[in-house]
Structure formats: structure tokens, C-alpha cells
């Protein structure tokens, strides 16, 4: 019997109003097999290859963005490429959704279909299918509950990629002060959250962004100072040095 696929879904808010929600976050954590009790130096066993998650939103529900996985929209729904499934290794993906006005009750948000390739075959098999639900209510007291801190953290950290791309464009266009200010605003927010929550992951993220900002600035200044570089050539040189993987991180 193949190991089952365990999936855990957490909303940033368990209950929303019947009037809908423009920005709602869903954290999906998944793994194949029980979590490892101790870390091993050896590579975990490969259980499935090229895991895919097909999401079919219900009427009135739309997926705005996906963080932590490659995603594309098709005629059948959203297809998320999640990579390989390693025994006991937990992976995460964060969705941002918009929900239009709904009737009160426990409503289905989308259908989810998990599939993968077997390790020694090219046959795609269905691992799991399920409905993802959300509670809709008119009770104001339920909606005022504090958002889930873990999901909120993933949502905040997911902003990093977009922020750094904005800064990169500013540096590339010669607006160094603007690029630095974009990074500074975001790092300040992360540092404030680190102090308020006591979560050092916010602090570590801020330090990474500070170093990336310094890298952007130095690289830009270098490209601008090259006498033989045209505007187009300098742009190409800058992008050749830039490694997007430095800030394209999967939520863990």
C-alpha cells in the first residue's frame, strides 16, 4: 500500500462575512508519510514525482495569487506544480483568494485533486480529492477573532518577492533612492513584527532583504560606471548578475 498523502488547510480567518472578502489567505501543508521523528543526513525516500494540485474554485470564488509553487490557470482550473514528495517531508503553499457575497453556512470554496507520477513509471495517479470549506456567518463576534498568526506570517513573508521586484525595477531605471526606500519600508515592517511577535523569522527575512538591497545598489552603480556600456547593455549586465532565486523562497 502506497503511503497516503496528508493535507492540512488553515485559513487566516476561520469565518468571514456574508458580504464576502477581497483578500483571504489559505495555507495548505502537505506531506506523504508520517513526519520524521529525527533528522537524518541521508536523503528522504522519494515516494512520488511531480506532484500536482488541481484546484477548481466554486462560483463566486477566485484565486488571486499562489505563493510557494509554480501555478497556471487552465480551462479546468488552477494547476499547481508542487515538485516531488519525499517521505515525511512537509511542504507548503499559500493561496490568496477573493470570495464574493455568499449565503451563511459552511460553504465549499473549491475542489482539490492531488495527483503524481509513480517513482518508476510515467503514469499519473490520483492520490487524493477533497472539498475545501469556509464558514460564512452573520455573527460579528466570530468575524472579529484574531487572524491565525502562522498564516499571517506566511502571507507577510510572501510579499517579499513582489517588493524586491519593485525595488529591482527602480534600481534598473536609475532611481536608487526609490529602490532603497521600497526595501526600507518593508524591512521596517518586518522588524516591527519581529519585536511584537518575538518571531525571529521576521528578523531573518529583514536581514536578507537588507543584504539584497545592498547588492542591488552596488551592482547598479557598477553597471552605470562602465563607460562602454549602453543603457541596454547595462540592463543586460545587471540582470545577468541578479539571481531571482535569492528571494524566491518557498514557505516552510
Amino acid at each position: 500500500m502506497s503511503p497516503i498523502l496528508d493535507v492540512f488547510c488553515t485559513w487566516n480567518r476561520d469565518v468571514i462575512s456574508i458580504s464576502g472578502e477581497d483578500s483571504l489567505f489559505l495555507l495548505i501543508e502537505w506531506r506523504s508519510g508520517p513526519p520524521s521523528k529525527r533528522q537524518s543526513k541521508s536523503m528522504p525516500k522519494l515516494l512520488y514525482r511531480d506532484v500536482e494540485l488541481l484546484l477548481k474554485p466554486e462560483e463566486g470564488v477566485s484565486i488571486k495569487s499562489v505563493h510557494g509553487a509554480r501555478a497556471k490557470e487552465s480551462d479546468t482550473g488552477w494547476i499547481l506544480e508542487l515538485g516531488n514528495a519525499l517521505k515525511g517531508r512537509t511542504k507548503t503553499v499559500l493561496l490568496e483568494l477573493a470570495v464574493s457575497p455568499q449565503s451563511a453556512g459552511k460553504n465549499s470554496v473549491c475542489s482539490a485533486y492531488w495527483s503524481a507520477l509513480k517513482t518508476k513509471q510515467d503514469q499519473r495517479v490520483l492520490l487524493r480529492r477533497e472539498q475545501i470549506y469556509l464558514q460564512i456567518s452573520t455573527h460579528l463576534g466570530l468575524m472579529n477573532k484574531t487572524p491565525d498568526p502562522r498564516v499571517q506570517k506566511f502571507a507577510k513573508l510572501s510579499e517579499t518577492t513582489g517588493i524586491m521586484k519593485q525595488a529591482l525595477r527602480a534600481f534598473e531605471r536609475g532611481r536608487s533612492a526609490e529602490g532603497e526606500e521600497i526595501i526600507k519600508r518593508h524591512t521596517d515592517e518586518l522588524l516591527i513584527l519581529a519585536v511584537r511577535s518575538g518571531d525571529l523569522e521576521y528578523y531573518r527575512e529583514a536581514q536578507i532583504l537588507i543584504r539584497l538591497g545592498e547588492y542591488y545598489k552596488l551592482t547598479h552603480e557598477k553597471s552605470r560606471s562602465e563607460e562602454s556600456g549602453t543603457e541596454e547593455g547595462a540592463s543586460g549586465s545587471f540582470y545577468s548578475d541578479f539571481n531571482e532565486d535569492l528571494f524566491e523562497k518557498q514557505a516552510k
Side-chain angles (χ1 to χ4, degrees), residues 99-116:
V99 181
S100 65
Q102 304 278 324
S103 58
K106 185 179 180 182
N107 296 352
S108 175
V109 174
C110 63
S111 304
Y113 301 85
W114 300 78
S115 65

Side-chain angles (χ1 to χ4, degrees), residues 23 56 70 84 88 96 100 105 135 140 143 193 198 202 214 218 224-225 227 243 245 248 251:
S23 183
K56 296 183 178 182
R70 294 182 180 274
N84 297 332
E96 183 180 6
S100 65
Q135 189 70 35
L140 295 178
M143 288 177 280
L193 287 170
Y202 286 119
E214 293 172 350
L218 290 173
R224 297 278 292 181
S225 65
E227 295 181 356
N243 182 359
D245 289 338
E248 284 279 6

Side-chain angles (χ1 to χ4, degrees), residues 53-242:
L53 171 59
L54 171 62
L55 294 173
K56 296 183 178 182
E58 301 291 349
E59 184 177 356
V61 178
S62 60
I63 296 176
K64 298 176 64 176
S65 61
V66 178
H67 305 278
R70 294 182 180 274
K72 58 183 178 181
E73 190 174 9
S74 68
D75 293 338
T76 56
W78 281 78
I79 300 174
L80 280 58
E81 300 175 5
L82 303 178
N84 297 332
L86 303 177
K87 183 178 181 180
R89 180 70 59 83
T90 300
K91 291 187 175 182
T92 60
V93 61
L94 181 72
L95 308 178
E96 183 180 6
L97 304 96
V99 181
S100 65
Q102 304 278 324
S103 58
K106 185 179 180 182
N107 296 352
S108 175
V109 174
C110 63
S111 304
Y113 301 85
W114 300 78
S115 65
L117 299 176
K118 293 184 177 180
T119 54
K120 298 181 179 179
Q121 302 178 28
D122 289 330
Q123 175 187 0
R124 183 163 290 278
V125 295
L126 183 65
L127 302 177
R128 175 186 179 120
R129 58 185 175 186
E130 61 195 319
Q131 294 293 119
I132 298 176
Y133 293 93
L134 177 65
Q135 189 70 35
I136 315 293
S137 177
T138 57
H139 194 302
L140 295 178
L142 294 175
M143 288 177 280
N144 289 334
K145 286 187 176 181
T146 303
D148 185 281
R150 287 188 67 244
V151 182
Q152 289 296 96
K153 181 174 75 172
F154 274 91
K156 190 62 182 179
L157 296 182
S158 72
E159 295 177 6
T160 296
T161 298
I163 292 293
M164 298 311 290
K165 286 181 178 178
Q166 290 178 29
L168 174 60
R169 286 193 292 269
F171 279 111
E172 184 60 24
R173 293 168 182 171
R175 302 198 296 265
S176 297
E178 179 184 337
E180 291 180 78
E181 180 61 25
I182 290 172
I183 295 173
K184 183 179 184 301
R185 285 199 303 267
H186 192 57
T187 53
D188 285 349
E189 291 177 7
L190 293 172
L191 291 172
I192 291 171
L193 287 170
V195 172
R196 289 177 177 175
S197 66
D199 191 330
L200 291 179
E201 195 165 351
Y202 286 119
Y203 175 78
R204 289 192 290 267
E205 184 84 352
Q207 294 303 306
I208 291 173
L209 300 192
I210 291 171
R211 290 196 294 271
L212 280 173
E214 293 172 350
Y215 171 78
Y216 286 178
K217 182 179 179 180
L218 290 173
T219 307
H220 169 72
E221 289 175 350
K222 178 182 177 181
S223 66
R224 297 278 292 181
S225 65
E226 293 177 353
E227 295 181 356
S228 60
T230 62
E231 182 177 350
E232 180 179 357
S235 175
S237 173
F238 185 82
Y239 276 101
S240 67
D241 287 338
F242 169 65

